[in-house]
Amino acid sequence: MKFTKMQGIGNDYVYVNCFKEEVKDPAAVARFVSDRHFGIGSDGLILIRPSEKADCTMDMYNLDGSQGAMCGNGIRCVAKYAYDYGIVDKTDIAVETKAGIKYLHLTLKDGKVSEVRVNMGAPILEAVKIPIVSEKEQVIDESLEVEGKEYYITGVSMGNPHAVIFLDYSPEELELEKIGPSFENHKRFPDRINTEFVHVLNRNTVEMRVWERGSGETMACGTGACAVAVASILNGFTEEEVTVKLLGGDLKIFWDRKENLVYMTGPATTVFDGEIELPEAIA
Ligand SMILES: N[C@H](CCC[C@H](N)C(=O)O)C(=O)O
């Protein structure tokens, strides 16, 4: 199977061009290729497939084989891939996802994609649509007990579910691998959840770490950064333009409250092209 390894501020996936390749069992292939010792090593698998309604379709699978509806760092790389590998010959691109069609703009420098701006659509705040079990219609700064400790979460979906927690200290002090799974699998999250731990630095800047549903801690999460910016604005901590500092780099998020649309701007990088022999059982 031919693939391209790409990363968006360190959130790395194996990309397969399904205009040319066929992947019969994406969940199993995701688990195999993601393994950093027996496979290629990645946060998951992204299939780039034809679409009837857009320039292409993005299907995203986490490291554990579960499918996510949307992937922010991933969709920037899909747009760059589509341009670089000739699926499109324009810089305004539409990508179909399970969270609807997303519209992207590629910025070129010396003919190369240097930055990608994504219209991520409207944030979803209704608890039942995230989903998060709650008595209230929205989950804003709501208490959640995890392993006997009380945290306060703000729930936002960007097509995939997020619980945002604000700390008054740097998230680098957290032992994420210890507490992450307890959030991910908490009974109040029927579809599991991506959890972001945030420290507000000023009215336009926050720093965060993320424990992703199905992938564990990643260097960055685009939809997570959008959820963090929305939660920061809802809680009155920042302005509508927020620089989100993640382990792998920064993303610029703008929540246009008038249009109720979230824009994410960041890089997309191709690491290498490769070919891998899949085990017979999943080939
Ligand atoms: N890393 C991705 C998000 C993956 C979300 C996935 N973990 C799920 O929702 O199951 C991003 O850049 O948005």
mmCIF file of all heavy atoms in Angstrom, residues 99-130:
data_model
loop_
_atom_site.group_PDB
_atom_site.id
_atom_site.type_symbol
_atom_site.label_atom_id
_atom_site.label_comp_id
_atom_site.label_asym_id
_atom_site.label_seq_id
_atom_site.Cartn_x
_atom_site.Cartn_y
_atom_site.Cartn_z
ATOM 1 N N ALA A 99 -18.509 15.464 9.368
ATOM 2 C CA ALA A 99 -19.070 16.631 10.068
ATOM 3 C C ALA A 99 -19.466 17.695 9.044
ATOM 4 O O ALA A 99 -19.504 18.889 9.356
ATOM 5 C CB ALA A 99 -18.030 17.187 11.042
ATOM 6 N N GLY A 100 -19.720 17.281 7.797
ATOM 7 C CA GLY A 100 -20.141 18.220 6.753
ATOM 8 C C GLY A 100 -18.984 18.637 5.857
ATOM 9 O O GLY A 100 -17.843 18.226 6.057
ATOM 10 N N ILE A 101 -19.298 19.456 4.838
ATOM 11 C CA ILE A 101 -18.267 19.903 3.897
ATOM 12 C C ILE A 101 -17.533 21.093 4.514
ATOM 13 O O ILE A 101 -18.166 22.025 5.020
ATOM 14 C CB ILE A 101 -18.878 20.291 2.540
ATOM 15 C CG1 ILE A 101 -19.492 19.042 1.901
ATOM 16 C CG2 ILE A 101 -17.804 20.909 1.619
ATOM 17 C CD1 ILE A 101 -20.170 19.279 0.570
ATOM 18 N N LYS A 102 -16.195 21.032 4.506
ATOM 19 C CA LYS A 102 -15.379 22.123 5.049
ATOM 20 C C LYS A 102 -14.678 22.826 3.888
ATOM 21 O O LYS A 102 -14.288 22.188 2.906
ATOM 22 C CB LYS A 102 -14.337 21.577 6.030
ATOM 23 C CG LYS A 102 -14.926 20.735 7.175
ATOM 24 C CD LYS A 102 -15.871 21.518 8.065
ATOM 25 C CE LYS A 102 -16.522 20.601 9.105
ATOM 26 N NZ LYS A 102 -17.574 21.301 9.869
ATOM 27 N N TYR A 103 -14.523 24.154 4.030
ATOM 28 C CA TYR A 103 -13.927 24.957 2.960
ATOM 29 C C TYR A 103 -12.596 25.507 3.439
ATOM 30 O O TYR A 103 -12.502 26.034 4.549
ATOM 31 C CB TYR A 103 -14.897 26.078 2.544
ATOM 32 C CG TYR A 103 -16.176 25.506 1.954
ATOM 33 C CD1 TYR A 103 -17.275 25.237 2.775
ATOM 34 C CD2 TYR A 103 -16.253 25.144 0.613
ATOM 35 C CE1 TYR A 103 -18.429 24.659 2.268
ATOM 36 C CE2 TYR A 103 -17.416 24.571 0.076
ATOM 37 C CZ TYR A 103 -18.487 24.321 0.917
ATOM 38 O OH TYR A 103 -19.618 23.735 0.404
ATOM 39 N N LEU A 104 -11.578 25.331 2.599
ATOM 40 C CA LEU A 104 -10.208 25.692 2.990
ATOM 41 C C LEU A 104 -9.582 26.617 1.959
ATOM 42 O O LEU A 104 -9.925 26.542 0.768
ATOM 43 C CB LEU A 104 -9.340 24.432 3.097
ATOM 44 C CG LEU A 104 -9.804 23.329 4.059
ATOM 45 C CD1 LEU A 104 -10.635 22.290 3.336
ATOM 46 C CD2 LEU A 104 -8.618 22.681 4.740
ATOM 47 N N HIS A 105 -8.639 27.448 2.402
ATOM 48 C CA HIS A 105 -7.859 28.278 1.482
ATOM 49 C C HIS A 105 -6.369 28.007 1.708
ATOM 50 O O HIS A 105 -5.887 28.070 2.836
ATOM 51 C CB HIS A 105 -8.139 29.770 1.703
ATOM 52 C CG HIS A 105 -7.292 30.629 0.818
ATOM 53 N ND1 HIS A 105 -7.527 30.748 -0.539
ATOM 54 C CD2 HIS A 105 -6.171 31.352 1.084
ATOM 55 C CE1 HIS A 105 -6.597 31.538 -1.068
ATOM 56 N NE2 HIS A 105 -5.771 31.918 -0.118
ATOM 57 N N LEU A 106 -5.675 27.711 0.617
ATOM 58 C CA LEU A 106 -4.225 27.452 0.689
ATOM 59 C C LEU A 106 -3.476 28.746 0.407
ATOM 60 O O LEU A 106 -3.780 29.438 -0.563
ATOM 61 C CB LEU A 106 -3.820 26.416 -0.376
ATOM 62 C CG LEU A 106 -4.498 25.049 -0.332
ATOM 63 C CD1 LEU A 106 -4.006 24.209 -1.515
ATOM 64 C CD2 LEU A 106 -4.199 24.343 0.977
ATOM 65 N N THR A 107 -2.490 29.089 1.240
ATOM 66 C CA THR A 107 -1.591 30.214 0.951
ATOM 67 C C THR A 107 -0.292 29.634 0.401
ATOM 68 O O THR A 107 0.270 28.705 0.988
ATOM 69 C CB THR A 107 -1.305 31.021 2.234
ATOM 70 O OG1 THR A 107 -2.560 31.479 2.744
ATOM 71 C CG2 THR A 107 -0.395 32.215 1.937
ATOM 72 N N LEU A 108 0.129 30.140 -0.772
ATOM 73 C CA LEU A 108 1.354 29.621 -1.406
ATOM 74 C C LEU A 108 2.503 30.585 -1.197
ATOM 75 O O LEU A 108 2.305 31.804 -1.196
ATOM 76 C CB LEU A 108 1.119 29.410 -2.909
ATOM 77 C CG LEU A 108 -0.067 28.531 -3.318
ATOM 78 C CD1 LEU A 108 -0.148 28.448 -4.843
ATOM 79 C CD2 LEU A 108 0.071 27.136 -2.724
ATOM 80 N N LYS A 109 3.702 30.039 -1.034
ATOM 81 C CA LYS A 109 4.924 30.861 -1.000
ATOM 82 C C LYS A 109 5.910 30.162 -1.940
ATOM 83 O O LYS A 109 6.154 28.955 -1.764
ATOM 84 C CB LYS A 109 5.482 30.902 0.434
ATOM 85 C CG LYS A 109 6.142 32.244 0.791
ATOM 86 C CD LYS A 109 6.835 32.185 2.119
ATOM 87 C CE LYS A 109 6.060 32.862 3.238
ATOM 88 N NZ LYS A 109 6.540 32.488 4.566
ATOM 89 N N ASP A 110 6.348 30.863 -2.966
ATOM 90 C CA ASP A 110 7.213 30.268 -4.009
ATOM 91 C C ASP A 110 6.577 28.982 -4.552
ATOM 92 O O ASP A 110 7.226 27.951 -4.683
ATOM 93 C CB ASP A 110 8.623 29.943 -3.455
ATOM 94 C CG ASP A 110 9.198 31.120 -2.667
ATOM 95 O OD1 ASP A 110 8.894 32.257 -3.060
ATOM 96 O OD2 ASP A 110 9.877 30.888 -1.646
ATOM 97 N N GLY A 111 5.226 29.031 -4.750
ATOM 98 C CA GLY A 111 4.535 27.893 -5.370
ATOM 99 C C GLY A 111 4.260 26.739 -4.423
ATOM 100 O O GLY A 111 3.637 25.758 -4.785
ATOM 101 N N LYS A 112 4.720 26.887 -3.181
ATOM 102 C CA LYS A 112 4.511 25.788 -2.201
ATOM 103 C C LYS A 112 3.472 26.206 -1.168
ATOM 104 O O LYS A 112 3.413 27.386 -0.781
ATOM 105 C CB LYS A 112 5.840 25.494 -1.492
ATOM 106 C CG LYS A 112 6.881 24.846 -2.428
ATOM 107 C CD LYS A 112 7.428 23.561 -1.811
ATOM 108 C CE LYS A 112 8.322 22.773 -2.766
ATOM 109 N NZ LYS A 112 7.536 22.120 -3.848
ATOM 110 N N VAL A 113 2.686 25.237 -0.679
ATOM 111 C CA VAL A 113 1.681 25.539 0.352
ATOM 112 C C VAL A 113 2.407 25.908 1.652
ATOM 113 O O VAL A 113 3.182 25.115 2.180
ATOM 114 C CB VAL A 113 0.762 24.316 0.601
ATOM 115 C CG1 VAL A 113 -0.193 24.598 1.756
ATOM 116 C CG2 VAL A 113 -0.008 23.967 -0.674
ATOM 117 N N SER A 114 2.179 27.133 2.128
ATOM 118 C CA SER A 114 2.871 27.543 3.364
ATOM 119 C C SER A 114 1.909 27.567 4.544
ATOM 120 O O SER A 114 2.307 27.366 5.681
ATOM 121 C CB SER A 114 3.477 28.940 3.180
ATOM 122 O OG SER A 114 2.422 29.860 2.919
ATOM 123 N N GLU A 115 0.615 27.788 4.276
ATOM 124 C CA GLU A 115 -0.343 27.919 5.378
ATOM 125 C C GLU A 115 -1.726 27.546 4.842
ATOM 126 O O GLU A 115 -2.007 27.728 3.652
ATOM 127 C CB GLU A 115 -0.338 29.388 5.817
ATOM 128 C CG GLU A 115 -1.002 29.644 7.157
ATOM 129 C CD GLU A 115 -0.776 31.074 7.613
ATOM 130 O OE1 GLU A 115 -1.386 31.978 7.018
ATOM 131 O OE2 GLU A 115 0.027 31.262 8.534
ATOM 132 N N VAL A 116 -2.556 27.015 5.693
ATOM 133 C CA VAL A 116 -3.910 26.632 5.290
ATOM 134 C C VAL A 116 -4.907 27.233 6.269
ATOM 135 O O VAL A 116 -4.709 27.152 7.498
ATOM 136 C CB VAL A 116 -4.085 25.099 5.269
ATOM 137 C CG1 VAL A 116 -5.456 24.721 4.692
ATOM 138 C CG2 VAL A 116 -2.970 24.438 4.454
ATOM 139 N N ARG A 117 -5.940 27.883 5.735
ATOM 140 C CA ARG A 117 -6.999 28.456 6.579
ATOM 141 C C ARG A 117 -8.261 27.633 6.359
ATOM 142 O O ARG A 117 -8.673 27.423 5.215
ATOM 143 C CB ARG A 117 -7.237 29.902 6.191
ATOM 144 C CG ARG A 117 -8.246 30.582 7.082
ATOM 145 C CD ARG A 117 -8.352 32.055 6.762
ATOM 146 N NE ARG A 117 -8.979 32.727 7.891
ATOM 147 C CZ ARG A 117 -9.967 33.592 7.785
ATOM 148 N NH1 ARG A 117 -10.390 33.918 6.655
ATOM 149 N NH2 ARG A 117 -10.519 34.160 8.809
ATOM 150 N N VAL A 118 -8.839 27.157 7.463
ATOM 151 C CA VAL A 118 -10.012 26.280 7.379
ATOM 152 C C VAL A 118 -11.216 26.967 8.011
ATOM 153 O O VAL A 118 -11.118 27.476 9.132
ATOM 154 C CB VAL A 118 -9.779 24.951 8.133
ATOM 155 C CG1 VAL A 118 -10.882 23.953 7.800
ATOM 156 C CG2 VAL A 118 -8.410 24.364 7.839
ATOM 157 N N ASN A 119 -12.335 26.959 7.288
ATOM 158 C CA ASN A 119 -13.611 27.344 7.909
ATOM 159 C C ASN A 119 -14.137 26.086 8.597
ATOM 160 O O ASN A 119 -14.580 25.157 7.929
ATOM 161 C CB ASN A 119 -14.587 27.840 6.837
ATOM 162 C CG ASN A 119 -15.965 28.150 7.418
ATOM 163 O OD1 ASN A 119 -16.267 27.756 8.548
ATOM 164 N ND2 ASN A 119 -16.789 28.829 6.660
ATOM 165 N N MET A 120 -14.031 26.044 9.913
ATOM 166 C CA MET A 120 -14.371 24.830 10.670
ATOM 167 C C MET A 120 -15.860 24.743 10.962
ATOM 168 O O MET A 120 -16.310 23.794 11.613
ATOM 169 C CB MET A 120 -13.580 24.822 11.986
ATOM 170 C CG MET A 120 -12.070 24.751 11.799
ATOM 171 S SD MET A 120 -11.523 23.157 11.209
ATOM 172 C CE MET A 120 -11.595 22.222 12.743
ATOM 173 N N GLY A 121 -16.605 25.771 10.518
ATOM 174 C CA GLY A 121 -18.055 25.740 10.748
ATOM 175 C C GLY A 121 -18.415 26.281 12.118
ATOM 176 O O GLY A 121 -17.585 26.884 12.805
ATOM 177 N N ALA A 122 -19.654 26.048 12.533
ATOM 178 C CA ALA A 122 -20.153 26.586 13.807
ATOM 179 C C ALA A 122 -19.839 25.611 14.941
ATOM 180 O O ALA A 122 -19.968 24.396 14.762
ATOM 181 C CB ALA A 122 -21.660 26.796 13.721
ATOM 182 N N PRO A 123 -19.432 26.123 16.103
ATOM 183 C CA PRO A 123 -19.257 25.228 17.255
ATOM 184 C C PRO A 123 -20.611 24.733 17.735
ATOM 185 O O PRO A 123 -21.610 25.431 17.622
ATOM 186 C CB PRO A 123 -18.612 26.135 18.308
ATOM 187 C CG PRO A 123 -19.031 27.513 17.949
ATOM 188 C CD PRO A 123 -19.198 27.534 16.452
ATOM 189 N N ILE A 124 -20.654 23.484 18.211
ATOM 190 C CA ILE A 124 -21.902 22.905 18.731
ATOM 191 C C ILE A 124 -21.803 22.902 20.255
ATOM 192 O O ILE A 124 -20.852 22.325 20.808
ATOM 193 C CB ILE A 124 -22.099 21.472 18.176
ATOM 194 C CG1 ILE A 124 -22.238 21.517 16.650
ATOM 195 C CG2 ILE A 124 -23.317 20.806 18.831
ATOM 196 C CD1 ILE A 124 -21.989 20.175 15.980
ATOM 197 N N LEU A 125 -22.771 23.584 20.896
ATOM 198 C CA LEU A 125 -22.681 23.756 22.356
ATOM 199 C C LEU A 125 -23.776 23.005 23.121
ATOM 200 O O LEU A 125 -23.710 22.891 24.335
ATOM 201 C CB LEU A 125 -22.749 25.256 22.684
ATOM 202 C CG LEU A 125 -21.643 26.115 22.036
ATOM 203 C CD1 LEU A 125 -21.859 27.592 22.324
ATOM 204 C CD2 LEU A 125 -20.258 25.665 22.503
ATOM 205 N N GLU A 126 -24.798 22.525 22.401
ATOM 206 C CA GLU A 126 -25.871 21.801 23.112
ATOM 207 C C GLU A 126 -25.309 20.482 23.632
ATOM 208 O O GLU A 126 -24.783 19.661 22.855
ATOM 209 C CB GLU A 126 -27.049 21.500 22.176
ATOM 210 C CG GLU A 126 -27.769 22.725 21.671
ATOM 211 C CD GLU A 126 -27.093 23.310 20.425
ATOM 212 O OE1 GLU A 126 -25.951 22.928 20.121
ATOM 213 O OE2 GLU A 126 -27.714 24.167 19.771
ATOM 214 N N ALA A 127 -25.478 20.267 24.957
ATOM 215 C CA ALA A 127 -24.907 19.083 25.615
ATOM 216 C C ALA A 127 -25.319 17.798 24.896
ATOM 217 O O ALA A 127 -24.477 16.928 24.642
ATOM 218 C CB ALA A 127 -25.344 19.054 27.075
ATOM 219 N N VAL A 128 -26.590 17.699 24.525
ATOM 220 C CA VAL A 128 -27.059 16.433 23.922
ATOM 221 C C VAL A 128 -26.409 16.172 22.566
ATOM 222 O O VAL A 128 -26.296 15.045 22.124
ATOM 223 C CB VAL A 128 -28.602 16.409 23.746
ATOM 224 C CG1 VAL A 128 -29.285 16.219 25.073
ATOM 225 C CG2 VAL A 128 -29.110 17.646 23.038
ATOM 226 N N LYS A 129 -25.942 17.242 21.897
ATOM 227 C CA LYS A 129 -25.344 17.074 20.568
ATOM 228 C C LYS A 129 -23.837 16.849 20.626
ATOM 229 O O LYS A 129 -23.235 16.461 19.614
ATOM 230 C CB LYS A 129 -25.646 18.302 19.700
ATOM 231 C CG LYS A 129 -27.113 18.457 19.310
ATOM 232 C CD LYS A 129 -27.288 19.639 18.396
ATOM 233 C CE LYS A 129 -28.771 19.872 18.051
ATOM 234 N NZ LYS A 129 -28.940 21.205 17.384
ATOM 235 N N ILE A 130 -23.234 17.059 21.825
ATOM 236 C CA ILE A 130 -21.763 16.919 21.863
ATOM 237 C C ILE A 130 -21.341 15.446 21.735
ATOM 238 O O ILE A 130 -20.428 15.160 20.937
ATOM 239 C CB ILE A 130 -21.214 17.590 23.139
ATOM 240 C CG1 ILE A 130 -21.489 19.127 23.049
ATOM 241 C CG2 ILE A 130 -19.712 17.345 23.295
ATOM 242 C CD1 ILE A 130 -21.093 19.910 24.265
#
